Amino acid sequence: MQNNNKKSIYSWALYDWANSAYATTVMAGFFPIFFKSYYSVGTEVTVSTAQLGFANSISSFVVVLLAPLLGAVADAGSLKKRFLFLFAFLGILMSASLALVEQGNWQMAALIYTLGNIGFMGSNIFYDALLPSVSDDKNVDYVSGLGFALGYLGGGILFALNVFMVQEPSFFGFSDEAVAIKASFVSVAVWWALFSLPLLLFVKEKKRDKEQKNILLVAGYLRLKKTFQRVRSLKGLFLFLVAYWLYIDGVDTIIRMAVDYGMALGFDSNSLIMSLLIVQFVGFPATLLVAKLADTLDTKKVIYLCISVYIFIIVFASMMEEEKEFYILALLISLVQGGIQALSRSYYAKMIPQKYAAEFFGFYNLLGKFAVIVGPLLVAFVALFSHNSRLSIASVAVLFIFGGLFLFFVDEKKVAKEVREAME
């Protein structure tokens, strides 16, 4: 398999361009706003924050249950692409289905959003697991960063169009903003489906052996059990996964709850949407620069730099008073959000054997998605019991602090050797 085939690399990276439309327009952008003002109209702001937090947590919990087993099965049968497109189809269908939900029906909106998140996150398990198939140790940081960078650009382009649709609905033939937002959910489905095709056509994975067909599920369970046992004994890898679980919890919570937080402070929704556009378009070059910086310095050191910036971001967010400060917040986030995600993925890829990529990335995504259970729940419960939105966002800082502490004890070269010897 050619790990440096440019067609395979760009086809793989374009999937981030494809599904980031869901992350921007639906997850981070219009759904939190529309949920508060339309689907959950008339509900107290802290209650709707809790409802949104619970929806995010439930979807993550389902992926937590599925990720390790599906990763093991995918490795046993070389089914990464098939599982990727199965989950992508679910996400695409649910994104379009949001357009059918009527005003005030927050329960149905939350259910469809939850299923859409499962499709989005589930497909990313197998997208991540295909990274070793299109890269090697020399270019993995760049390839991983390219995926996130194209994700920012692609998601940002469609999001910009969606924002124009919502601000000028009559130009597109829509009767009002609500119809335009629903149309934007449909546009996400079309975009996601269309730009997933290059990965389907040009990224290859090893075909499964014929004799595996009848024992595929059994093999998946056996490999899952074996990997659980080994991960517990691999101290270095275990420490990294704990560190990643903690700090990526903070990253994902900020992605999903930032707009909701801005609305709780009374900021205008248009200002919040424009700030998200800043994140998308600044995030594109920033992610590539951060990935390049990792080549010059060291991947672990640059991850630490990103963690430090996030701690500052949280402190700043908890004290901001004016809408213009939210733009500054968005700019700071855009500088490190893609970088910390890309480098965490490539850092982990350096420590695991390609033969077991889907299985180990199942665990990687397991912890990442488990984090997205804890983070939104933390924000939801602090908001409910304290009735203080500033305190709820400030509570996220502890996750970055402890994540950085655990990361201190990780040496990727020693971990890679330890994992390789254990898996032989």
Side-chain angles (χ1 to χ4, degrees), residues 21 91-93 95-97 158 184-194:
I92 291 166
L93 181 62
S95 181
S97 297
L158 183 62
S184 73
F185 294 152
V186 176
S187 73
V188 167
V190 174
W191 182 279
W192 189 349
L194 178 63

Side-chain angles (χ1 to χ4, degrees), residues 13 55 109 133 152 157 189 237 244 261 305 317 333 372 399:
S133 298
Y152 278 114
I157 289 172
L237 190 66
Y244 171 76
Y261 174 64
L305 175 62
I333 291 173
V372 186
L399 302 171

Side-chain angles (χ1 to χ4, degrees), residues 55-339:
N56 281 316
S57 295
I58 291 169
S59 58
S60 300
F61 180 69
V62 173
V63 176
V64 162
L65 295 179
L66 294 176
L69 177 59
L70 289 179
V73 172
D75 272 333
S78 297
L79 298 173
K80 301 179 188 70
K81 284 176 62 176
R82 294 188 186 184
F83 277 119
L84 186 156
F85 283 98
L86 176 65
F87 279 96
F89 177 76
L90 175 63
I92 291 166
L93 181 62
M94 292 302 104
S95 181
S97 297
L98 284 172
L100 303 177
V101 182
E102 298 297 330
Q103 185 175 17
N105 193 355
W106 71 266
Q107 296 93 336
M108 182 58 68
L111 174 62
I112 293 175
Y113 174 70
T114 298
L115 292 173
N117 284 357
I118 291 171
F120 172 77
M121 292 185 290
S123 70
N124 277 337
I125 294 172
F126 305 102
Y127 171 65
D128 289 345
L130 287 169
L131 174 60
S133 298
V134 298
S135 66
D136 55 31
D137 288 341
K138 294 181 180 179
N139 67 359
V140 65
D141 283 334
Y142 168 77
V143 175
S144 182
L146 177 66
F148 277 105
L150 287 181
Y152 278 114
L153 186 60
I157 289 172
L158 183 62
F159 189 44
L161 175 61
N162 293 150
V163 170
F164 185 40
M165 287 166 54
V166 172
Q167 292 183 342
E168 301 291 339
S170 60
F171 181 83
F172 293 89
F174 302 131
S175 57
D176 54 36
E177 288 186 3
V179 176
I181 289 177
K182 289 184 176 184
S184 73
F185 294 152
V186 176
S187 73
V188 167
V190 174
W191 182 279
W192 189 349
L194 178 63
F195 290 106
S196 295
L197 293 178
L199 188 148
L200 176 65
L201 297 173
F202 303 119
V203 175
K204 308 298 181 184
E205 63 175 320
K206 185 179 178 181
K207 300 295 183 182
R208 66 185 183 185
D209 297 329
K210 291 182 179 179
E211 59 268 21
Q212 287 183 313
K213 290 181 179 179
N214 296 327
I215 60 170
L216 188 56
L217 187 59
V218 174
Y221 273 107
L222 291 176
R223 293 182 72 176
L224 174 61
K225 180 180 178 181
K226 185 179 293 186
T227 306
F228 263 125
Q229 293 171 342
R230 284 173 172 166
V231 165
R232 287 189 300 178
S233 65
L234 297 171
K235 295 181 181 179
L237 190 66
F238 178 77
L239 281 174
F240 171 74
L241 289 172
V242 172
Y244 171 76
W245 168 53
L246 288 165
Y247 70 71
I248 211 66
D249 184 337
V251 173
D252 285 337
T253 301
I254 289 173
I255 290 172
R256 297 177 185 227
M257 305 301 292
V259 168
D260 182 271
Y261 174 64
M263 292 191 71
L265 294 182
F267 294 166
D268 180 67
S269 61
N270 287 329
S271 296
L272 302 178
I273 291 298
M274 293 306 296
S275 70
L276 287 180
L277 284 174
I278 292 175
V279 173
Q280 295 307 121
F281 288 107
V282 176
F284 168 64
T287 301
L288 292 177
L289 288 173
V290 170
K292 189 66 176 178
L293 185 61
D295 290 336
T296 305
L297 298 176
D298 174 80
T299 305
K300 181 178 175 180
K301 290 179 181 178
V302 180
I303 291 175
Y304 264 121
L305 175 62
C306 294
I307 289 174
S308 300
V309 174
Y310 263 109
I311 292 173
F312 176 80
I313 285 169
I314 292 170
V315 174
F316 180 78
S318 66
M319 297 187 296
M320 64 181 180
E321 299 283 350
E322 302 178 12
E323 285 184 8
K324 64 181 180 181
E325 293 175 311
F326 203 90
Y327 286 98
I328 299 173
L329 184 73
L331 179 61
L332 291 172
I333 291 173
S334 67
L335 294 176
V336 291
Q337 181 174 282

